[in-house]
Coordinates of all heavy atoms in Angstrom, one line a residue:
D1 N 7.5 -27.1 4.5 CA 8.0 -25.8 5.1 C 8.5 -24.9 4.0 O 9.0 -25.3 3.0 CB 9.1 -26.1 6.1 CG 8.6 -26.8 7.4 OD1 7.4 -26.7 7.7 OD2 9.4 -27.5 8.0
S2 N 8.2 -23.6 4.3 CA 8.7 -22.6 3.3 C 9.2 -21.4 4.1 O 8.7 -21.0 5.1 CB 7.5 -22.2 2.4 OG 7.9 -21.1 1.6
S3 N 10.2 -20.8 3.5 CA 10.7 -19.6 4.1 C 10.1 -18.4 3.5 O 10.4 -17.2 3.9 CB 12.3 -19.5 4.1 OG 12.7 -19.5 2.7
A4 N 9.3 -18.6 2.5 CA 8.6 -17.5 1.8 C 7.5 -16.9 2.6 O 6.8 -17.6 3.4 CB 8.0 -17.9 0.4
Q5 N 7.4 -15.5 2.6 CA 6.4 -14.8 3.3 C 6.0 -13.6 2.5 O 6.8 -13.1 1.7 CB 6.8 -14.5 4.7 CG 8.1 -13.6 4.8 CD 8.5 -13.4 6.2 OE1 7.7 -12.9 7.0 NE2 9.7 -13.8 6.6
I6 N 4.9 -13.1 2.8 CA 4.4 -11.8 2.1 C 5.2 -10.7 2.8 O 5.2 -10.5 4.0 CB 2.9 -11.6 2.3 CG1 2.2 -12.7 1.5 CG2 2.6 -10.2 1.7 CD1 0.7 -12.7 1.7
N7 N 5.9 -9.9 2.0 CA 6.8 -8.8 2.4 C 6.0 -7.5 2.3 O 6.1 -6.7 3.2 CB 8.0 -8.8 1.6 CG 8.9 -7.6 2.0 OD1 9.3 -7.5 3.1 ND2 9.3 -6.8 1.0
A8 N 5.3 -7.3 1.3 CA 4.6 -6.0 1.1 C 3.4 -6.2 0.1 O 3.4 -7.1 -0.7 CB 5.6 -5.0 0.5
L9 N 2.5 -5.3 0.3 CA 1.3 -5.2 -0.6 C 1.5 -4.0 -1.4 O 1.8 -2.9 -0.8 CB 0.0 -5.1 0.3 CG -1.2 -4.9 -0.5 CD1 -1.5 -6.1 -1.4 CD2 -2.4 -4.7 0.4
I10 N 1.5 -4.1 -2.7 CA 1.8 -3.0 -3.6 C 0.5 -2.7 -4.3 O -0.2 -3.6 -4.9 CB 2.9 -3.3 -4.6 CG1 4.1 -3.8 -3.9 CG2 3.1 -2.1 -5.5 CD1 4.8 -2.8 -3.0
V11 N 0.1 -1.4 -4.3 CA -1.1 -0.9 -5.0 C -0.7 -0.1 -6.2 O 0.1 0.9 -6.0 CB -2.0 -0.1 -4.0 CG1 -3.3 0.4 -4.8 CG2 -2.4 -1.0 -2.8
D12 N -1.1 -0.4 -7.4 CA -0.8 0.4 -8.5 C -1.6 1.7 -8.5 O -2.8 1.6 -8.0 CB -1.1 -0.3 -9.8 CG -0.1 -1.4 -10.2 OD1 0.9 -1.4 -9.6 OD2 -0.5 -2.2 -11.0
A13 N -1.0 2.8 -8.8 CA -1.7 4.1 -8.7 C -1.3 5.0 -9.8 O -0.1 5.1 -10.1 CB -1.5 4.7 -7.4
T14 N -2.2 5.8 -10.3 CA -1.8 6.9 -11.3 C -1.2 8.0 -10.5 O -0.4 8.8 -11.1 CB -3.0 7.3 -12.2 OG1 -4.1 7.7 -11.3 CG2 -3.5 6.2 -13.1
E15 N -1.7 8.2 -9.3 CA -1.1 9.3 -8.4 C -0.7 8.7 -7.1 O -1.5 8.8 -6.1 CB -2.2 10.4 -8.2 CG -2.6 11.1 -9.5 CD -3.6 12.2 -9.1 OE1 -3.3 13.1 -8.3 OE2 -4.7 12.1 -9.7
P16 N 0.4 8.0 -7.0 CA 0.8 7.3 -5.8 C 0.9 8.2 -4.6 O 0.6 7.8 -3.5 CB 2.2 6.7 -6.1 CG 2.7 7.4 -7.3 CD 1.5 7.9 -8.1
E17 N 1.4 9.5 -4.7 CA 1.5 10.4 -3.6 C 0.1 10.6 -3.0 O -0.1 10.5 -1.7 CB 2.1 11.7 -4.0 CG 3.5 11.6 -4.5 CD 4.5 11.6 -3.3 OE1 4.1 11.9 -2.2 OE2 5.7 11.3 -3.6
R18 N -0.9 10.9 -3.8 CA -2.3 11.1 -3.3 C -2.9 9.9 -2.7 O -3.5 10.0 -1.6 CB -3.1 11.6 -4.5 CG -4.6 11.8 -4.2 CD -5.3 12.4 -5.4 NE -6.7 12.4 -5.1 CZ -7.6 11.7 -5.9 NH1 -7.3 11.1 -6.9 NH2 -8.9 11.8 -5.6
L19 N -2.7 8.7 -3.3 CA -3.2 7.5 -2.8 C -2.5 7.1 -1.5 O -3.2 6.7 -0.5 CB -3.1 6.4 -3.8 CG -4.2 5.3 -3.7 CD1 -5.6 5.8 -3.6 CD2 -4.0 4.3 -4.8
A20 N -1.2 7.3 -1.4 CA -0.5 7.0 -0.1 C -1.0 8.0 1.0 O -1.1 7.5 2.1 CB 1.0 7.2 -0.4
A21 N -1.2 9.2 0.7 CA -1.7 10.2 1.7 C -3.1 9.7 2.2 O -3.4 9.8 3.4 CB -1.8 11.6 1.1
F22 N -4.0 9.3 1.3 CA -5.3 8.7 1.7 C -5.1 7.6 2.7 O -5.7 7.6 3.8 CB -6.1 8.3 0.5 CG -7.4 7.6 0.8 CD1 -8.5 8.3 1.1 CD2 -7.4 6.2 0.7 CE1 -9.7 7.6 1.4 CE2 -8.6 5.5 1.0 CZ -9.7 6.2 1.4
W23 N -4.4 6.5 2.2 CA -4.2 5.4 3.1 C -3.4 5.6 4.3 O -3.7 5.0 5.4 CB -3.6 4.2 2.2 CG -4.6 3.6 1.4 CD1 -4.7 3.8 0.0 CD2 -5.6 2.7 1.8 NE1 -5.8 3.0 -0.4 CE2 -6.4 2.4 0.6 CE3 -6.0 2.2 3.0 CZ2 -7.5 1.5 0.7 CZ3 -7.1 1.3 3.0 CH2 -7.8 1.0 1.9
S24 N -2.5 6.6 4.3 CA -1.8 7.0 5.5 C -2.8 7.5 6.6 O -2.7 7.1 7.8 CB -0.8 8.1 5.2 OG -0.2 8.6 6.4
E25 N -3.8 8.3 6.2 CA -4.8 8.8 7.1 C -5.8 7.7 7.5 O -6.1 7.6 8.7 CB -5.6 9.9 6.4 CG -4.9 11.2 6.3 CD -4.5 11.8 7.6 OE1 -5.3 11.8 8.6 OE2 -3.4 12.4 7.7
V26 N -6.2 6.8 6.6 CA -7.1 5.7 6.9 C -6.4 4.8 8.0 O -7.1 4.4 9.0 CB -7.5 4.9 5.7 CG1 -8.2 3.6 6.1 CG2 -8.4 5.8 4.8
L27 N -5.2 4.4 7.8 CA -4.5 3.4 8.6 C -3.7 4.0 9.7 O -3.2 3.2 10.6 CB -3.7 2.5 7.7 CG -4.4 1.7 6.6 CD1 -3.4 1.0 5.8 CD2 -5.4 0.8 7.3
G28 N -3.5 5.3 9.8 CA -2.6 5.9 10.8 C -1.2 5.5 10.6 O -0.5 5.4 11.6

């Protein structure tokens, strides 16, 4: 048994604002 779980997926980006805006639209 483990209490570990995936908390977040982090994507490296040269322009995180732009990439976050793209994924925000894709995923709603």
Side-chain angles (χ1 to χ4, degrees):
D1 289 336
S2 174
S3 61
Q5 59 183 301
I6 297 173
N7 178 56
L9 175 64
I10 306 300
V11 179
D12 288 345
T14 56
E15 297 181 56
E17 296 279 345
R18 177 176 171 238
L19 207 53
F22 170 82
W23 281 103
S24 174
E25 290 294 322
V26 168
L27 299 173

